[in-house]
Amino acid sequence: MKNPIDIAAEPSLFGRISLGHVVVQSRRLPDWQRFAHEGLGLQVDRVAGGLALRIDAHERRIVVEEGPAEDVTAIGWQLHDEHALPLLQRRLRTAGIDVGEAAPAEAAARGVERLWVFQGPKKLRFEFFTRPLLAGPPRLSASGFVTGALGLGHFAMTTREPEAALRFFQQVFDARLSDTIEDKLDGVTLELSFLRLNERHHTVALAATRGQRMNPLRTGIHHLNLQAASLDDVTTAYQRMRKLGFAISNAIGQHPNDREVSFYVASPSGFDVELGWNPIVVSDEAAWQPAHYQGISLWGHFPESLTLGSKLGRMGRGIASLTRKEYTVGAAA
Ligand SMILES: [Fe+2]
């Protein structure tokens, strides 16, 4: 990355790290098979203990393990050069975060050569690797997905400790703030921070409620985003998902900050998958200025499947979350 700040300062992970994989635990493997293959158009392979989903040359990008959590159970980070590995390990040690190497069988289950593990924000298991196992081109019912140096996509998580989570990503991963959005949802003001780790406009979005910090979600993340190569991929997947009967959380719309055109569909494990097209990339670091936006969508993204029951469930969980302290990670927090 040609950034004057990087050259002057200590080595940075910026531009050398991306979202590598996501691990889900579910009892609904047949639903996941339909959702990912027939709905999203991904290659789905049956593997020992579950399903491996492919969108590019990586053998495994999303792993769905048979298990009770119905949630994302691990987020994997890819380091794009061998020097980034000791750098991240040093960062984690400095921050007082324990890191261990996973057993070879676990690395194989993620489709990587070697795998290291630590506990991330909200006790979400964070994993990292440098060398993915690669296979031939995936068999997709879509023209393709945008990955490479930009990584698998992005994810958004709700947090009641947004300052600590932001510090973690900035101090340990060298994340940069792309922009912020505020929006009102059911009378509550949501504040979102969008963090980039490379040219992808954001790899992580942190969402928090203003004032009383609540977390209305059962799942560890709100959504996982995949970037389709064409607008047709998005519109045809949207139609397939509706036909298959998967609940569309938000119909097609566009975000004001990264300008991505996308829709959100509820995965069989409850968190959403966002399928999007054509988000901007931050290719000129020196010129980028973080902006603040009102409203999460420029147009569209209408909630198609919000029932009173799901709204009440979210409110109840939001209020219950006030009584629990949220885990924050390491000395950085
Ligand atoms: Fe998103």
Side-chain angles (χ1 to χ4, degrees), residues 154-156 194 202 205 223-225 255 258 260 262 264 274:
H154 72 243
F155 70 89
F194 296 82
H202 61 280
H223 70 266
L224 168 69
N225 165 287
H255 291 299
D258 67 356
E260 189 172 38
S262 67
Y264 294 73
E274 178 186 24

Side-chain angles (χ1 to χ4, degrees), residues 306-313:
L306 253 192
T307 62
L308 183 61
S310 67
K311 268 193 173 185
L312 289 174

Side-chain angles (χ1 to χ4, degrees), residues 46 52 54 207 278:
R46 287 174 192 282
R54 296 190 61 209
N278 206 30

Side-chain angles (χ1 to χ4, degrees), residues 29 44-53 59-60 62-65 109:
L29 296 190
V44 179
D45 298 325
R46 287 174 192 282
V47 295
L51 304 171
L53 281 44
E59 257 186 22
R60 300 178 181 196
I62 301 169
V63 177
V64 186
E65 298 176 335

